[in-house]
Amino acid sequence: MNTGLSLMKNEMTLAIDSGAHTLYEHVMKQRIKKGARKGAINWNFSKSKDFWEYVDLYGEFLQKYTADGTIDLYVNVDVIFDPQITWEVQNYMESNFNLRPMPVVHYGEDFEWIKKYIKKDYDYIGIGGVGQDVSTTEYVNWGDMLFKTIS
């Protein structure tokens, strides 16, 4: 029996994002409901048990749907403003789930992070950060420097 997904799979490559930003937004909204100061940036969530449970669930999901060929490309659970945690998640997914997610670097991060990913010879590296309260000019300037670094 062909499902819509199997029919679609015959016609295209399927890539997915980890949903890390949506997860963060959901957690922050819950914290605000519980009285946290609105607008307070708190990236400590990436060090919590809930975050790592999400990483594990995502890893299990990817194992299932990459093994059957449904998903072709998938993005790491990246943490904006914390490239060290992003790096740790990348390595965790590789060693614990035998997966190779697309790594991500964000606006403002040190270019040493992209060099680390280049050394590991990934097919793709995601570049993010457009929605991080940065002007187009600032982002383009950073992007220009990034591409000079990798060329």
Side-chain angles (χ1 to χ4, degrees):
M1 174 186 194
N2 275 338
T3 65
L5 187 58
S6 63
L7 289 173
M8 181 175 66
K9 177 63 183 140
N10 291 328
E11 298 173 17
M12 68 176 74
T13 297
L14 184 60
I16 66 166
D17 186 36
S18 68
H21 182 72
T22 302
L23 173 67
Y24 173 77
E25 289 292 319
H26 173 75
V27 168
M28 288 299 101
K29 285 178 184 173
Q30 295 304 312
R31 288 181 179 178
I32 289 168
K33 282 183 184 177
K34 293 178 181 176
R37 185 171 51 92
K38 189 172 184 171
I41 295 177
N42 182 344
W43 299 100
N44 289 335
F45 174 66
S46 61
K47 296 175 179 84
S48 72
K49 178 183 171 192
D50 290 335
F51 175 82
W52 287 96
E53 284 178 0
Y54 182 85
V55 170
D56 285 335
L57 288 171
Y58 183 58
E60 291 167 10
F61 172 84
L62 290 174
Q63 279 184 320
K64 178 179 179 181
Y65 290 105
T66 57
D68 73 4
T70 301
I71 296 173
D72 302 297
L73 180 66
Y74 43 94
V75 178
N76 187 27
V77 182
D78 53 306
V79 180
I80 299 170
F81 302 125
D82 199 334
Q84 179 63 44
I85 293 288
T86 301
W87 176 259
E88 290 171 17
V89 173
Q90 184 77 30
N91 289 300
Y92 180 82
M93 297 291 278
E94 291 173 6
S95 62
N96 290 1
F97 294 98
N98 199 30
L99 295 167
R100 196 160 163 87
M102 180 193 322
V104 180
V105 295
H106 297 96
Y107 167 80
E109 293 177 355
D110 190 297
F111 297 134
E112 292 305 310
W113 292 105
I114 198 156
K115 290 177 185 176
K116 288 176 103 167
Y117 292 119
I118 290 169
K119 284 181 185 174
K120 288 183 76 171
D121 198 32
Y122 291 96
D123 292 332
Y124 302 98
I125 300 173
I127 301 170
V130 175
Q132 295 169 199
D133 295 325
V134 59
S135 72
T136 302
T137 301
E138 290 170 314
Y139 190 82
V140 168
N141 289 338
W142 179 82
D144 285 347
M145 290 186 301
L146 176 73
F147 284 106
K148 286 178 185 171
T149 300
I150 64 176
S151 59

